[in-house]
Amino acid sequence: MKAMTEDILIVGAGPVGLYLGCKLRAAGLSCTILERREQRMPHSRSIGVHPPALERLQTLGLAAPLVDRGIPVRRGLAFSGGKPLGTLSFNSLPGPFPFVLAVPQHHTESLLEAHFGSMGEPVVRPATLAAFERDPEGIRANLETPDGARSVTARWLIGCDGHRSGVRAQLGIGWSGRAYADHFVMGDFPDSTDFGNDAAIFLNGQGVVESFPLPGGIRRWVARIEQPANEADVLPILTAAIRERTGHVVSGADALMTSAFT
């Protein structure tokens, strides 16, 4: 079993784990990040980066390149019954980023991961934390990788592996969160609206519909529904909801990505 020693071992190479790893290396600490996924997902539900997060990314020199990849959303438009209700401007937000940046999560992750790699060894992927235990030197972790088992001794082990955290599970730490009784369908389509870089929300008795611009002339649509949807039913449910609740028409044949979630 190949062994290595680090100050910090982070489990999870999402935005939180990657950002933390970059900051720790910038502070002069040795740090390894593990990621169980072999490749980054090309699509994501998460697309909004808010001003405080952009300010934190600016400390790494990554805010500007991320803004270049995304769409700064400076206004939200509200509609009901096909009529405009009002406009919410984000221009009064404090700080250097008075907007919400619409950018797929994989862009955020790829920038952070490249920056992390430029400061030392790259993210270890795919790698799974098989087990860990405390010893006099700190934490001894056993990893499973395609190249075989590895052992890491670290002063600290940090779990950034989501609400189904394996780190938390191995420590016996519970999760007090719960699922809301709200169900949604979502999809990305070529933008056929005249909203430009504005977000839009449509209030309707059947359920709210939200619409956000994305890079490359794409627009994301999200609709609330009453019951969970099977994956095969997402596209017809979503296109019907958009048509009936907003008056806009999108073609299912043009869908770039669809998803259902609760």
Side-chain angles (χ1 to χ4, degrees):
M1 178 179 287
K2 184 179 178 181
M4 57 190 294
T5 302
E6 291 281 6
D7 290 319
I8 313 288
L9 176 63
I10 296 175
V11 180
V16 173
L18 289 167
Y19 171 78
L20 180 58
C22 290
K23 296 296 285 187
L24 291 169
R25 281 187 172 176
L29 296 169
S30 61
C31 177
T32 290
I33 300 179
L34 310 178
E35 173 54 51
R36 63 178 176 79
R37 298 171 297 175
E38 184 172 3
Q39 295 182 332
R40 191 177 297 107
M41 296 294 291
H43 302 295
S44 63
R45 294 173 182 162
S46 301
I47 60 170
V49 182
H50 292 258
L54 290 170
E55 290 187 49
R56 294 296 86 210
L57 290 170
Q58 191 175 35
T59 67
L60 295 171
L62 299 180
L66 188 62
V67 170
D68 288 342
R69 294 190 181 196
I71 301 292
V73 179
R74 300 179 184 275
R75 293 195 312 170
L77 312 177
F79 299 88
S80 180
K83 298 179 180 179
L85 290 179
T87 300
L88 176 65
S89 172
F90 302 148
N91 287 333
S92 62
L93 290 173
F97 304 103
F99 53 80
V100 176
L101 184 68
V103 61
Q105 183 172 313
H106 66 86
H107 286 300
T108 307
E109 291 180 352
S110 65
L111 275 174
L112 283 166
E113 186 165 348
H115 188 71
F116 180 78
S118 73
M119 305 168 79
E121 292 296 314
V123 170
V124 181
R125 65 162 74 226
T128 302
L129 179 67
F132 62 88
E133 60 184 5
R134 291 183 175 91
D135 67 16
E137 298 181 40
I139 303 293
R140 181 174 297 278
N142 296 328
L143 319 179
E144 296 292 340
T145 75
D147 297 327
R150 299 174 64 178
S151 176
V152 179
T153 299
R155 291 168 55 200
W156 294 94
L157 170 65
I158 303 177
C160 296
D161 47 346
H163 76 280
R164 296 188 179 92
S165 169
V167 174
R168 190 174 61 247
Q170 291 188 53
L171 288 171
I173 300 173
W175 182 62
S176 59
R178 64 185 177 88
Y180 291 99
D182 295 289
H183 313 290
F184 298 88
V185 287
M186 175 178 73
D188 293 345
F189 302 84
D191 192 354
S192 59
T193 73
D194 59 358
F195 296 144
N197 290 350
D198 293 336
I201 183 169
F202 301 84
L203 306 177
N204 186 285
Q206 295 175 286
V208 67
V209 175
E210 301 166 273
S211 178
F212 307 98
L214 285 172
I218 305 302
R219 182 160 285 270
R220 171 160 295 180
W221 294 87
V222 184
R224 188 184 187 278
I225 56 178
E226 291 298 321
Q227 300 294 331
N230 296 322
E231 197 64 40
D233 299 327
V234 169
L235 192 55
I237 291 174
L238 178 59
T239 55
I242 295 170
R243 181 179 65 254
E244 295 165 6
R245 303 181 201 175
T246 76
H248 292 269
V249 176
V250 298
S251 170
D254 295 332
L256 304 171
M257 180 276 290
T258 60
S259 179
F261 62 98
T262 293

